[in-house]
Amino acid sequence: MSTPARNQASFILGAAALLALASTIVLGLGLPPTLEQGPYARLIAIHPPLAWAAYLAFGVTAVASVLYLWQRTRSRVWDRVAASSAEVGVVFTALTLVTGSIWGRPTWGVWWTWDARLTSTALLLALFLGYLALRGVQTDVHTRAKRSAIAALVAVVDVPIVHFSVDWWRTLHQGRSLAQLTPQSDLDGSYVAVMLLGFVAMTLVYGWLLVERYRVEALEEHFDDQGLGLALEERRAEGEAVAVP
Amino acid sequence: MWRDAALVAGKDLRIEARSRVATNQVAPFAVLVLVLFGFALDPDRGILVRASAGLFWVAVLFSALLAVQRSFAIEAVDGGSDGLRLLGLDPAGIFLGKAAAVFVELVALELLLTAGVVVLYGVDLGGAGLMVATAAVATLGLAAAGTVYGALSAGLRVRETLLPLLLLPVLAPVLLSATRAWEVALGSSVDDGWRWVQLLGVFAVVYVTFGLVGFGALMEES
């Protein structure tokens, strides 16, 4: 009975991710408070990187779903990648909204505002929560994989439409944080550096979580496939152990 | 494909006409939603008139959920979907047919709801061209996306609770765009209403295309 083992590459990736995350936190907390936003400006070290990781995760889900639906590349590997990435993506999206909200309360004076960017992120979260709910339904593995892949694509196709509609609806949103990377921005150099480190850290964390989540998914499927036979064997072994004094 | 679509649409509409589920349950439900909004927002006509476009489309959205659920419930009994497949109908035709039936039901429902907002909320109708165009394009999008998701959740044990969770976020842009366009038509906001109709058009085209291409894959198992 071999199970997919935790391999060395994943260990190194995990170590690198944690190290990068720890340095982002330490350096981020060490940033000087800004005049307008006070200490809350430090959230820039993690908030935009979280959003980036969420987009990356859903992008990976979409690509993996296409690869699953395409007959020539169909494999349960892609289904597992899509599932794992979507789950990690939902966590990152939720964290993006939470950190944004924490920043918004002291800066804008409200926890939530119907700004275009916020609204479309919230809808993105809802779309992929639906996707995960569909994945959670007990049914034939192949049926589930195919339907989930189609649902992921429908959701991804909806994202630009959602974006346009809320953009036209609420055009009063703030500037993009990536646009602040341009040289003429008045953002302090150390802020930019820590934010870039944050991007690296979140990408690594995403990669590591994806690998580990994939491993768990594979183990679960393995367990489902082998579980019954294994349980029978164990019971038989118990019976023999009792029979032989 | 068109012939298959007409057959399937005819079948669905005949079932609805004979079973009267749409007329006896879905339509009263939609009107009831309008009445409930009246309770929630107080009989202060000012608020109701200003919000009428949004309330109308929320009522349409909820009713669309029921219509889609119904559209796939009739296939679930007596092996209906297996039967459709065994007949050798084109999956794209089945999609168009089912979407067309939902479309017709929703248009009928919207006429009723329009009468409802006029009578219950005291709305003065205006901008008929924009209203009709918006309703037509929005309903096409609702029917197409609804049919895709109806097929996605068909045959699953938890479909009643899964469908709203899957479908409502996808339909959010339709609610938003149709509401804005109607607000312009009803004179409660100044905007370029036709821009919203264009966005609704994009939504409809995307989901009709998606259904035509993807419905085969959804039909072959389940």
Side-chain angles (χ1 to χ4, degrees), chain B residues 165-178:
Chain B
L165 179 60
L166 284 175
L167 190 53
L168 288 177
V170 172
L171 294 182
V174 176
L175 173 65
L176 192 55
S177 311

Side-chain angles (χ1 to χ4, degrees), chain B residues 115-132:
Chain B
V117 292
V118 170
V119 174
L120 295 171
Y121 299 173
V123 173
D124 294 321
L125 295 184
L130 183 57
M131 274 180 79
V132 172

Side-chain angles (χ1 to χ4, degrees), chain A residues 1 15 36 65 77 82 91-92 106 137 142 146 163 166 175 183 188 207 229 242:
Chain A
M1 268 288 311
E36 299 123 23
S65 299
V77 169
V91 173
F92 276 115
V137 175
H142 177 67
K146 196 191 257 177
H163 184 77
V166 290
D188 189 69
V242 173

Side-chain angles (χ1 to χ4, degrees), chain A residues 5-36:
Chain A
R6 207 186 244 110
N7 63 32
Q8 204 163 10
S10 165
F11 181 78
I12 295 170
L13 184 61
L18 289 181
L19 186 69
L21 193 62
S23 1
T24 307
I25 291 169
V26 170
L27 290 175
L29 287 175
L31 285 172
T34 60
L35 267 180
E36 299 123 23

Side-chain angles (χ1 to χ4, degrees), chain A residues 222-237:
Chain A
H222 186 79
F223 181 76
D224 283 345
D225 291 346
Q226 310 276 325
L228 187 63
L230 201 68
L232 281 174
E233 266 174 39
E234 277 173 7
R235 291 296 92 80
R236 273 197 206 107

